[in-house]
């Protein structure tokens, strides 16, 4: 049996005096996706950010073992975070951070993804002019472009119409064959479509 990808031991996370994550000890295994579920405010986003290293635990250990933690992670934020620039400039900036691609190759990749997502016409559009669902699609393209070994996806299907919902579901299903996916959803059917490795949170505790 493979070593766990990430081990969490007695993780606590406090903001001021409120305890948001309360003594979580779990293993994130390699292979099939891991889904985090739970009610609004249960601590799902906080746990995902702890796993990705965006937050540091107040106490406890997060251990990647023999698996090196990726320097840059593909993280889909629940709330859109963009630069005050065009769609392509936002995507180019993300790729520049990975230092993996030269500018011409990056520009071509961005064009290819926008084309695949039927969003070619928005290449030069200012990000603020997109609808909420379109921003979600650009955020998804950004995580695909970054393409780290682990994808952290906070509610990836938010605000997608039926067409894009199926399209993104298929893309993630394909991706899960070669990358570890850790995703948050409120839909048990969706979770079960991807995996039977489901973590349920309730007021900061695994239940
Ligand atoms: N910066 C913060 N300061 C204070 N409290 C916070 C902060 N961020 C989150 N919390 C609290 O931590 C708890 C967990 O928040 P979190 O965003 O992780 O929940 P969630 O399970 O992702 O919820 P949702 O389904 O609404 O996205 C909530 O009670 C929230 O009010
Ligand atoms: Mg959340």
């Amino acid at each position: 049996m493979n070593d766990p990808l990430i081990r969490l031991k007695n993780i606590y996370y406090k903001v001021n005096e409120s305890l948001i994550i309360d003594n979580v000890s779990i293993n994130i295994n390699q292979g099939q996706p891991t889904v985090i579920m739970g009610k609004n405010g249960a601590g799902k986003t906080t746990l995902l950010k702890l796993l990705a290293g965006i937050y540091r635990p107040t106490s406890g250990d997060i251990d990647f073992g023999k698996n090196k933690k990726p320097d840059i992670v593909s993280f889909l934020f629940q709330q859109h975070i963009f630069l005050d620039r065009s769609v392509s400039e936002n995507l180019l900036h993300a790729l520049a951070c990975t230092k993996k691609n030269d500018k011409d190759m990056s520009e071509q990749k961005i064009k290819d993804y926008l084309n695949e997502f039927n969003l070619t016409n928005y290449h030069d559009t200012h990000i603020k002019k997109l609808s909420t669902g379109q921003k979600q699609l650009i955020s998804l393209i950004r995580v695909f472009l970054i393409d780290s070994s682990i994808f952290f996806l906070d509610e990836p299907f938010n605000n997608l119409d039926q067409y894009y919902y199926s399209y993104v579901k298929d893309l993630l299903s394909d991706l899960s064959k070669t990358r570890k996916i850790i995703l948050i959803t409120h839909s048990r059917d969706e979770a079960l479509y991807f995996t039977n490795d489901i973590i349920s949170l309730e007021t900061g505790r695994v239940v």
Side-chain angles (χ1 to χ4, degrees):
M1 170 124 179
N2 285 336
D3 272 349
L5 186 61
I6 317 174
R7 279 196 188 90
L8 273 72
K9 206 167 161 220
N10 304 119
I11 296 296
Y12 290 86
Y13 184 75
K14 271 187 188 174
V15 178
N16 302 321
E17 280 317 296
S18 33
L19 191 55
I20 314 287
I21 295 294
D22 182 4
N23 195 16
V24 166
S25 297
I26 47 167
N27 287 343
I28 302 289
N29 291 311
Q30 318 212 36
Q32 63 173 336
T34 299
V35 172
I36 304 172
M37 298 194 70
K39 293 180 182 163
N40 292 137
K44 303 178 299 298
T45 295
T46 308
L47 181 62
L48 196 67
K49 287 182 176 173
L50 285 163
L51 285 165
I54 294 171
Y55 291 164
R56 277 168 178 268
T58 307
S59 64
D61 292 319
I62 299 182
D63 176 15
F64 276 75
K66 280 183 248 152
N67 311 290
K68 200 175 163 295
K69 181 178 181 299
D71 294 335
I72 292 186
V73 292
S74 294
F75 195 101
L76 180 83
F77 290 91
Q78 185 175 8
Q79 275 150 344
H80 301 132
I81 298 176
F82 289 114
L83 299 173
D84 190 16
R85 296 188 196 163
S86 71
V87 166
S88 58
E89 284 168 324
N90 266 281
L91 296 174
L92 205 52
H93 175 77
L95 267 177
C97 293
T98 68
K99 299 188 181 125
K100 274 195 296 199
N101 296 283
D102 67 36
K103 197 159 181 273
D104 288 348
M105 205 195 290
S106 298
E107 279 174 357
Q108 190 54 51
K109 274 191 175 178
I110 289 165
K111 282 185 186 151
D112 291 347
Y113 264 109
L114 288 173
N115 186 36
E116 275 181 48
F117 276 71
N118 279 332
L119 293 169
T120 297
N121 293 345
Y122 297 94
H123 183 275
D124 297 323
T125 306
H126 195 287
I127 199 81
K128 280 185 183 158
K129 292 190 179 164
L130 298 191
S131 73
T132 312
Q134 288 170 328
K135 284 185 191 141
Q136 181 76 0
L137 293 167
I138 300 302
S139 297
L140 282 160
I141 291 177
R142 186 166 53 186
V143 297
F144 281 109
L145 283 168
I146 291 173
D147 191 24
S148 65
S149 57
I150 314 176
F151 278 60
F152 299 88
L153 305 173
D154 197 343
E155 303 199 26
F157 304 107
N158 271 357
N159 298 301
L160 299 187
D161 65 27
Q162 240 174 0
Y163 167 79
Y164 279 116
Y165 176 76
S166 309
Y167 179 69
V168 170
K169 213 166 150 193
D170 289 348
L171 279 183
L172 294 182
S173 190
D174 274 355
L175 184 79
S176 70
K177 294 172 192 153
T178 54
R179 304 284 189 278
K180 176 66 188 183
I181 294 180
I182 306 173
L183 77 84
I184 296 175
T185 176
H186 286 282
S187 157
R188 186 154 289 272
D189 287 346
E190 222 165 64
L192 290 170
Y193 171 83
F194 285 107
T195 187
N196 50 33
D197 179 15
I198 300 175
I199 297 167
S200 292
L201 275 186
E202 216 174 280
T203 53
R205 287 182 154 263
V206 174
V207 290

